Amino acid sequence: MKLLQLSWRYLWARPLATVLNLLLLTLGLAAITLVLLTRAQLDRAFERDLAGIDAVVGAKGSPLQLILSGVFHLDVPPGNIPLREAQALAKDARVAQLIPLSLGDSYRGFRIVGTNHDYPAHYGAQLAQGRLWQQPMEVVLGHQAAQATGLQPGQSFAGAHGLADGGAAATHAAHPYVVSGVLAPCACVLDRLLLTATESVWEVHEVAHGKDDDHDAAHEDEKREITLALVRYRSPLAAATFPRHVNTTTNMQAAAPALEITRLLRMVGVGTDVLRGFALVLLLSAGLSVFIALWSAVRERREDLALLRMLGAPPRRLAALLLCEAFWLAALATGLGLLGGHLLTGLLGYLLAAEQSLPMTGWLWLGVELWVPALALTVAVLAALLPALGAYRMEAGQLLNSR
Amino acid sequence: MIVTRGLACQYPGGAVLRFPDVAVPQGGTLLLRGRSGSGKSSWLALAAGLMAPSAGEIAVAGQALRELGPVQRDAWRARHLGFLPQKLHLSPALTVAGNLELVYFAAGLPVDRAAIAAALLALGVAELAGRRPRQLSGGQAQRVALARAILLNPQVILADEPTASLDDVAAREALALLLGTAQGCGATLVIATHDARVVVAMPQAQVLDLDRLPET
């Protein structure tokens, strides 16, 4: 009989203890896997969506709120800024590119973003169907938004006022958008947006809020606003002066995404650290439980082990038998823990997708997950060391004295 | 074959037990007779190579045990010694066949299922191969334990109190089975017992009476 086979049989000779130990180890490992997967995807999402954006200019208020609303479309923007002032910034020698974004409406929870063609180009977005918008009230759907809404090029819809799931909110039924195209998946923030011309947002809102036809176009431009602007610097040196210039000489603020996201991740990091700590406590409990189970097994099987010694098994083989039981627990818990962690991440992704939030998937395998079996094996082997030593020191002589 | 000369063992308290010399031919039977604590277990442990003598020599199956290191002694015991403990120690986690497979595990040998079937057949319990020990009667369990002891055709079988707690009929049957099995495989049989019925039932056996040993 092989060592692995015998240890497997001994393991399942105590099914309740084995299942409980397995459960504890699995819970700990699943929690660790969840932390690894979510943290990695969070980092990737932030990194991807932030790429090439040096500053976000918007209304004064919380800089983090400005970044979350303008770059990741996760929060409401602090307010609007005058178009003229944003245009003036675009002419600043330090600015290589300024992309205007106008927010305010949504369709079935997906934000309608008024912008120009530089915005999809910034993320290297490709069209899957149709074409980009060529005139106001034409809209291009992000991949996830198209899938969720089922809209196709040529179809029209009315946006709802507000950025939350706007099914019940007031709709701009008089000004329907027409879908001109659908973007291919870019694994970036565009996937969950509906993109249109900035003029579309003005048109909908100026009409909705009572446009006075008597005003001339110049006066209209004077009054027009956008929500925020994404800025790319001509040189990294601009980071030292541009935000200060905006913050002190205008009624706007310039926020540095890298800075704010570092701050955010530090805050999120506390949460993940707590979860990771919790998982480690679970693993520690599991290790203790495995130790108690194996220690009891050695005590219960004292005479079995002594008999094996009597039959000629060397001490190292008895120790290996105990270590193999721990190995089985680690192997099973690794499989179940990884599976559980991925399923939980998938569930989290499903819930986040329902809220049009950050993309998260359980169908992702990271190199760092190799730590999970290593961790499981370490915990199990550490827990099995003393029992294995007990088995190693088992004297066959006690068999001769047992009555 | 077992030969001892000047064999003695020292206990942790310092007491030394000196055993009379014995020479048991291959296929012969030795009865170690004595009350509890008389040294039967120590003698068995010396013969199994589980304990080193404080003085003297012991050769079992032609092997002087003093010449073997710990690892070699384990391997030697696996290949040349069969053991029938008083408590039969059939693992409840395994089937009857699985309990016999332990012999191969202990010896580090590949499992020989044909040999297991043959041993169970020889002991009349072939049909029990798939059962768990808790499903066996006392007599069946003893036969299975004996099958385990003779599986690798040992040259020596050590039996520890094989008739303890058995009634007269069961004791007679157990001894007959043990003796017949040992003779069947040509093994030297050593029985440690405090049961007078064993001595009566085996008049041809050499007896080492440990109750009369001087302790120094």
Side-chain angles (χ1 to χ4, degrees), chain A residues 1 303 309-310 317 400 403, chain B residues 77 86 89 101 106 111:
Chain A
M1 188 181 291
E303 290 175 354
R309 285 286 293 127
M310 191 70 187
R317 198 166 296 151
L400 299 168
R403 297 287 181 262
Chain B
R77 195 164 59 249
Q86 181 186 342
H89 297 301
E101 286 178 24
V111 173

Side-chain angles (χ1 to χ4, degrees), chain A residues 13-14 66 103 126 150 234 264 348 399:
Chain A
R14 293 165 287 122
L66 183 63
L103 309 174
Q126 302 287 321
R234 206 173 288 283
L264 176 68
L348 186 64
L399 204 64

Side-chain angles (χ1 to χ4, degrees), chain B residues 40-96:
Chain B
K40 298 192 296 292
S41 296
S42 299
W43 199 96
L44 287 178
L46 289 168
L50 294 168
M51 185 194 285
S54 57
E57 297 284 345
I58 180 166
V60 179
Q63 175 66 56
L65 299 188
R66 193 184 281 276
E67 293 170 358
L68 299 175
V71 177
Q72 292 166 308
R73 265 205 302 273
D74 288 336
W76 168 84
R77 195 164 59 249
R79 302 303 291 268
H80 299 288
L81 228 60
F83 181 60
L84 182 68
Q86 181 186 342
K87 274 175 73 178
L88 302 171
H89 297 301
L90 296 173
S91 175
L94 305 171
T95 61
V96 163

Side-chain angles (χ1 to χ4, degrees), chain A residues 5 21 66 92 96 116 150 160 168 205 234 238 256 271 315 339 374 376 381 383:
Chain A
Q5 196 183 357
N21 286 322
L66 183 63
D92 190 294
N116 59 30
H205 289 92
R234 206 173 288 283
L339 184 69
V381 166

